[in-house]
Amino acid sequence: MSHQRPPSPLSRRRFLGQSSCAAVGTASLLSSILNLRMVGSLAAQEMPPEEDYRALVCVFLAGGNDSFNMLAPVDEDGHAEYLAARGGIGLPAGSFLALDEPLPDGRTLGLQSTMPELHALYQAGKAGFVANVGTLVEPTTLAGFQSGEAALPLGLFSHLDQQMHWQSTLPESRSAAAGFAARMADLLQELNASNSVSMNISVAGLNLFQSGGATGVMAVDPAGVPQLTDWNHASFLDRRHAVESLLESEYRNVYERAFASLKRDAIATGSEFKAAIDGVGALQQTFTGDNPLSQQLSMVARTIAARSSLGKSRQTFFVLLGGWDMHDGMAGHPGLLSILSEAIGEFQGAMAELGTEDKVTLFTASDFARTLSSNGNGTDHAWGGNQVVVGGAVAKGVHGSYPELSLGSLLDTGRGRLIPTTSVDEYFADLALWMGVAPSSMGLVLPNLHRFDDLSDGAPLGLFAGG
């Protein structure tokens, strides 16, 4: 399948919309009082010894996916409400593939028809959705937002800040010492037979999600070659010049340190990693050559195939697809959704071939959703949105609370910027529990989770079958 590619990221706006926030902070309360590596062996002791391989694959949709045009009501009343809010950017009901189970309130949702692979996975019970999820410091109401009494994420509606907050799960800070996957890896790395190659692999360059922990992160290109060219010293500072001067001094030093650490890790472990990957036979599953996300996920699949050679029972992966910042028109949105769906379908085919469908969970994250109302041409930055979770262990369904889409609702902060009803902490808690983080250790991985859920009733969202 051939796809129309998003334009080159030349402008400041497009840079902010398509790039992954790679700022890694220097200090935080966590880093000053905890050493996650020291408690990693404790986490391993809490894990059942028969537990086998598990991996998380984060697909970051940089720029802010308009996820209410990805997953929308298709029943008569619900679709009428959707069209009234979306105006000229709304799509007819025939542009969606209906899901086979209605919501508790009776509405039926549909997935945009450019995503047939994802729809088939959902219908087969191998995918689910998380509704209206976003960065939150604490549970927030419209009254609290309007009065200023609610604590809000720093830089709300800002690409740079919200990418960082999604990846760190610490939205009240711009100085997170480590990302979610990095903190989790420091707890779980003792489960791996070998850690000479990091359990955190990025096929999309440096990212906060996996950075800042003792476990480290290894960045490779889709061919498995250690990838540093995008983060050489010159281009690195050039990228920072595109960011607001207020943030420049705060982030520059941590970029420098993260780059130096990445370079040392890549030199030390690149040969071992490449040998393991090259030792894997060719997969029968093909990955579309002109689909950039498919090519990244192809390398993830090859790395999973080499898990025994690498001595891994736990791994995390980070891939990225940019181009979602559509202030100036929505014409490219269906094509991006097609790219995403096709890549997910191919990746799941590879997981079935490897016998790891139940052992690998792919999930999406994005800066934020888009305004329900149009700016006259496209859409602007918003807040809570819908995400995708895929894998053989995933519980089919729409998890969380799919919101009312009428403008002026009790969640609408203006123009259809909806307050999230599910926090990133709750979303990621389900993922961490599935990976094997003990409930008693969850505060080390998600320090703000206690504001939303105490895990007394199990996983907050029930994303996994039997979980």
mmCIF file of all heavy atoms in Angstrom, residues 368-389:
data_model
loop_
_atom_site.group_PDB
_atom_site.id
_atom_site.type_symbol
_atom_site.label_atom_id
_atom_site.label_comp_id
_atom_site.label_asym_id
_atom_site.label_seq_id
_atom_site.Cartn_x
_atom_site.Cartn_y
_atom_site.Cartn_z
ATOM 1 N N PHE A 368 -1.729 15.164 22.961
ATOM 2 C CA PHE A 368 -3.080 15.506 23.397
ATOM 3 C C PHE A 368 -4.014 15.227 22.232
ATOM 4 O O PHE A 368 -3.568 14.869 21.133
ATOM 5 C CB PHE A 368 -3.204 16.978 23.811
ATOM 6 C CG PHE A 368 -2.324 17.938 23.030
ATOM 7 C CD1 PHE A 368 -2.453 18.067 21.648
ATOM 8 C CD2 PHE A 368 -1.366 18.715 23.658
ATOM 9 C CE1 PHE A 368 -1.652 18.934 20.925
ATOM 10 C CE2 PHE A 368 -0.551 19.590 22.945
ATOM 11 C CZ PHE A 368 -0.697 19.702 21.570
ATOM 12 N N ALA A 369 -5.316 15.375 22.446
ATOM 13 C CA ALA A 369 -6.276 15.311 21.350
ATOM 14 C C ALA A 369 -6.370 16.701 20.709
ATOM 15 O O ALA A 369 -5.568 17.585 20.994
ATOM 16 C CB ALA A 369 -7.630 14.833 21.847
ATOM 17 N N ARG A 370 -7.351 16.887 19.848
ATOM 18 C CA ARG A 370 -7.550 18.171 19.189
ATOM 19 C C ARG A 370 -8.904 18.750 19.602
ATOM 20 O O ARG A 370 -9.772 18.030 20.106
ATOM 21 C CB ARG A 370 -7.529 18.011 17.667
ATOM 22 C CG ARG A 370 -6.414 17.154 17.121
ATOM 23 C CD ARG A 370 -5.040 17.715 17.354
ATOM 24 N NE ARG A 370 -4.802 18.962 16.650
ATOM 25 C CZ ARG A 370 -3.599 19.547 16.567
ATOM 26 N NH1 ARG A 370 -2.549 18.990 17.157
ATOM 27 N NH2 ARG A 370 -3.460 20.685 15.921
ATOM 28 N N THR A 371 -9.072 20.036 19.399
ATOM 29 C CA THR A 371 -10.354 20.662 19.707
ATOM 30 C C THR A 371 -11.472 20.003 18.896
ATOM 31 O O THR A 371 -11.288 19.674 17.720
ATOM 32 C CB THR A 371 -10.318 22.162 19.375
ATOM 33 O OG1 THR A 371 -9.839 22.329 18.029
ATOM 34 C CG2 THR A 371 -9.420 22.906 20.344
ATOM 35 N N LEU A 372 -12.618 19.814 19.537
ATOM 36 C CA LEU A 372 -13.760 19.265 18.797
ATOM 37 C C LEU A 372 -14.211 20.237 17.705
ATOM 38 O O LEU A 372 -14.594 19.823 16.607
ATOM 39 C CB LEU A 372 -14.922 18.978 19.750
ATOM 40 C CG LEU A 372 -14.711 17.853 20.759
ATOM 41 C CD1 LEU A 372 -15.946 17.707 21.648
ATOM 42 C CD2 LEU A 372 -14.392 16.529 20.072
ATOM 43 N N SER A 373 -14.177 21.519 17.991
ATOM 44 C CA SER A 373 -14.560 22.516 16.990
ATOM 45 C C SER A 373 -13.356 22.872 16.122
ATOM 46 O O SER A 373 -12.212 22.811 16.555
ATOM 47 C CB SER A 373 -15.112 23.772 17.663
ATOM 48 O OG SER A 373 -14.106 24.407 18.431
ATOM 49 N N SER A 374 -13.642 23.242 14.898
ATOM 50 C CA SER A 374 -12.592 23.599 13.955
ATOM 51 C C SER A 374 -12.129 25.037 14.182
ATOM 52 O O SER A 374 -12.877 25.875 14.675
ATOM 53 C CB SER A 374 -13.114 23.442 12.528
ATOM 54 O OG SER A 374 -12.186 23.942 11.586
ATOM 55 N N ASN A 375 -10.887 25.312 13.781
ATOM 56 C CA ASN A 375 -10.401 26.690 13.785
ATOM 57 C C ASN A 375 -10.729 27.390 12.466
ATOM 58 O O ASN A 375 -10.238 28.483 12.195
ATOM 59 C CB ASN A 375 -8.891 26.730 14.062
ATOM 60 C CG ASN A 375 -8.082 25.959 13.030
ATOM 61 O OD1 ASN A 375 -8.546 25.675 11.921
ATOM 62 N ND2 ASN A 375 -6.865 25.591 13.390
ATOM 63 N N GLY A 376 -11.552 26.737 11.646
ATOM 64 C CA GLY A 376 -11.907 27.268 10.343
ATOM 65 C C GLY A 376 -11.229 26.524 9.223
ATOM 66 O O GLY A 376 -11.644 26.605 8.062
ATOM 67 N N ASN A 377 -10.178 25.770 9.585
ATOM 68 C CA ASN A 377 -9.454 25.004 8.578
ATOM 69 C C ASN A 377 -9.082 23.633 9.123
ATOM 70 O O ASN A 377 -9.408 22.605 8.539
ATOM 71 C CB ASN A 377 -8.203 25.768 8.134
ATOM 72 C CG ASN A 377 -7.531 25.134 6.933
ATOM 73 O OD1 ASN A 377 -8.165 24.388 6.195
ATOM 74 N ND2 ASN A 377 -6.262 25.413 6.727
ATOM 75 N N GLY A 378 -8.419 23.636 10.279
ATOM 76 C CA GLY A 378 -8.031 22.395 10.925
ATOM 77 C C GLY A 378 -8.496 22.380 12.363
ATOM 78 O O GLY A 378 -9.587 22.871 12.676
ATOM 79 N N THR A 379 -7.657 21.855 13.243
ATOM 80 C CA THR A 379 -7.996 21.799 14.665
ATOM 81 C C THR A 379 -6.803 22.259 15.496
ATOM 82 O O THR A 379 -5.666 22.246 15.034
ATOM 83 C CB THR A 379 -8.386 20.367 15.081
ATOM 84 O OG1 THR A 379 -7.317 19.462 14.715
ATOM 85 C CG2 THR A 379 -9.662 19.919 14.410
ATOM 86 N N ASP A 380 -7.084 22.643 16.732
ATOM 87 C CA ASP A 380 -6.036 23.154 17.613
ATOM 88 C C ASP A 380 -5.794 22.203 18.776
ATOM 89 O O ASP A 380 -6.463 21.195 18.927
ATOM 90 C CB ASP A 380 -6.433 24.548 18.108
ATOM 91 C CG ASP A 380 -6.513 25.559 16.963
ATOM 92 O OD1 ASP A 380 -5.681 25.459 16.037
ATOM 93 O OD2 ASP A 380 -7.411 26.420 16.983
ATOM 94 N N HIS A 381 -4.830 22.559 19.604
ATOM 95 C CA HIS A 381 -4.419 21.708 20.717
ATOM 96 C C HIS A 381 -5.541 21.560 21.733
ATOM 97 O O HIS A 381 -6.201 22.527 22.088
ATOM 98 C CB HIS A 381 -3.200 22.306 21.436
ATOM 99 C CG HIS A 381 -2.052 22.594 20.528
ATOM 100 N ND1 HIS A 381 -0.933 23.286 20.946
ATOM 101 C CD2 HIS A 381 -1.835 22.300 19.219
ATOM 102 C CE1 HIS A 381 -0.075 23.402 19.942
ATOM 103 N NE2 HIS A 381 -0.602 22.808 18.880
ATOM 104 N N ALA A 382 -5.716 20.343 22.230
ATOM 105 C CA ALA A 382 -6.745 20.114 23.244
ATOM 106 C C ALA A 382 -6.147 19.320 24.401
ATOM 107 O O ALA A 382 -5.012 19.581 24.802
ATOM 108 C CB ALA A 382 -7.960 19.437 22.630
ATOM 109 N N TRP A 383 -6.871 18.331 24.939
ATOM 110 C CA TRP A 383 -6.418 17.688 26.170
ATOM 111 C C TRP A 383 -6.721 16.191 26.113
ATOM 112 O O TRP A 383 -6.010 15.445 25.446
ATOM 113 C CB TRP A 383 -7.083 18.375 27.356
ATOM 114 C CG TRP A 383 -6.424 18.150 28.692
ATOM 115 C CD1 TRP A 383 -5.403 17.301 29.009
ATOM 116 C CD2 TRP A 383 -6.775 18.828 29.908
ATOM 117 N NE1 TRP A 383 -5.087 17.391 30.349
ATOM 118 C CE2 TRP A 383 -5.916 18.329 30.921
ATOM 119 C CE3 TRP A 383 -7.724 19.773 30.240
ATOM 120 C CZ2 TRP A 383 -6.000 18.761 32.249
ATOM 121 C CZ3 TRP A 383 -7.800 20.212 31.555
ATOM 122 C CH2 TRP A 383 -6.947 19.714 32.550
ATOM 123 N N GLY A 384 -7.798 15.730 26.757
ATOM 124 C CA GLY A 384 -8.060 14.301 26.794
ATOM 125 C C GLY A 384 -8.397 13.735 25.421
ATOM 126 O O GLY A 384 -9.079 14.361 24.617
ATOM 127 N N GLY A 385 -7.899 12.511 25.141
ATOM 128 C CA GLY A 385 -8.153 11.857 23.863
ATOM 129 C C GLY A 385 -8.178 10.349 24.009
ATOM 130 O O GLY A 385 -8.102 9.811 25.122
ATOM 131 N N ASN A 386 -8.268 9.656 22.895
ATOM 132 C CA ASN A 386 -8.412 8.198 22.873
ATOM 133 C C ASN A 386 -7.125 7.542 22.392
ATOM 134 O O ASN A 386 -6.477 8.033 21.467
ATOM 135 C CB ASN A 386 -9.570 7.808 21.951
ATOM 136 C CG ASN A 386 -10.841 8.557 22.275
ATOM 137 O OD1 ASN A 386 -11.259 8.622 23.423
ATOM 138 N ND2 ASN A 386 -11.457 9.166 21.265
ATOM 139 N N GLN A 387 -6.776 6.418 23.020
ATOM 140 C CA GLN A 387 -5.558 5.693 22.681
ATOM 141 C C GLN A 387 -5.877 4.238 22.359
ATOM 142 O O GLN A 387 -6.941 3.720 22.708
ATOM 143 C CB GLN A 387 -4.543 5.779 23.818
ATOM 144 C CG GLN A 387 -4.152 7.185 24.232
ATOM 145 C CD GLN A 387 -3.478 7.990 23.119
ATOM 146 O OE1 GLN A 387 -2.939 7.421 22.165
ATOM 147 N NE2 GLN A 387 -3.524 9.320 23.238
ATOM 148 N N VAL A 388 -4.936 3.585 21.711
ATOM 149 C CA VAL A 388 -5.078 2.219 21.225
ATOM 150 C C VAL A 388 -4.160 1.294 22.014
ATOM 151 O O VAL A 388 -3.013 1.647 22.296
ATOM 152 C CB VAL A 388 -4.697 2.151 19.729
ATOM 153 C CG1 VAL A 388 -4.750 0.716 19.212
ATOM 154 C CG2 VAL A 388 -5.591 3.065 18.902
ATOM 155 N N VAL A 389 -4.659 0.107 22.376
ATOM 156 C CA VAL A 389 -3.843 -0.924 23.024
ATOM 157 C C VAL A 389 -4.076 -2.229 22.264
ATOM 158 O O VAL A 389 -5.220 -2.609 22.013
ATOM 159 C CB VAL A 389 -4.225 -1.107 24.511
ATOM 160 C CG1 VAL A 389 -3.243 -2.064 25.187
ATOM 161 C CG2 VAL A 389 -4.246 0.223 25.237
#
